[in-house]
């Protein structure tokens, strides 16, 4: 494997995870799939890869795949949850469209 931070995120459907390999380390976002709903369970970025924006790359690639496939998202993983809360343009992907209603600022 090469030292290429630009490597692509790959959906390893057999293992139920999105993967990005950099410097022989694999960063992963695991998921479960039930019908047209994908639940992101956990994201792991090895210590050696932290601080490079790789978790964000995993989330963005996974959500792009979700959108392309017409799926809905349950962001159980805190990384996905935090990203989606900060990016309202992803809220249409939520399986529960009211999931983030409590995060709106109070009047």
């Amino acid at each position: 494997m090469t030292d290429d931070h630009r490597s692509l995120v790959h959906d390893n459907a057999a293992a139920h995870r999105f993967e990005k390999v950099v410097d022989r380390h694999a960063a992963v976002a695991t998921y479960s799939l039930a019908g047209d709903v994908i639940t992101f369970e956990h994201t792991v970025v090895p210590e050696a890869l932290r601080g490079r924006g790789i978790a964000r790359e995993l989330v963005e690639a996974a959500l792009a795949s979700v959108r392309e496939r017409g799926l809905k998202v349950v962001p159980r993983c805190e990384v996905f949850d935090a990203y989606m809360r900060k990016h309202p343009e992803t809220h249409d992907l939520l399986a529960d469209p009211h999931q983030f209603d409590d995060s709106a600022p109070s009047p």
Side-chain angles (χ1 to χ4, degrees), residues 24-104:
R24 291 183 270 184
H25 298 281
V28 300
T30 62
Y31 64 84
S32 59
L33 191 59
D36 66 346
V37 176
I38 187 167
T39 300
F40 288 100
E41 306 284 352
H42 195 58
T43 300
V44 177
V45 177
E47 186 75 34
L49 302 180
R50 293 191 182 156
R52 298 187 192 186
I54 292 173
R56 177 187 44 79
E57 289 180 45
L58 283 169
V59 171
E60 289 175 352
L63 293 179
S65 175
V66 164
R67 187 175 298 285
E68 194 173 283
R69 294 160 59 188
L71 301 175
K72 292 295 182 181
V73 174
V74 174
R76 186 169 295 150
C77 166
E78 64 185 40
V79 174
F80 277 80
D81 184 273
Y83 182 92
M84 292 183 78
R85 282 181 190 274
K86 291 178 186 174
H87 293 88
E89 69 277 10
T90 66
H91 291 185
D92 65 308
L93 297 174
L94 291 168
D96 175 1
H98 302 290
Q99 179 166 349
F100 298 147
D101 287 355
D102 65 327
S103 65

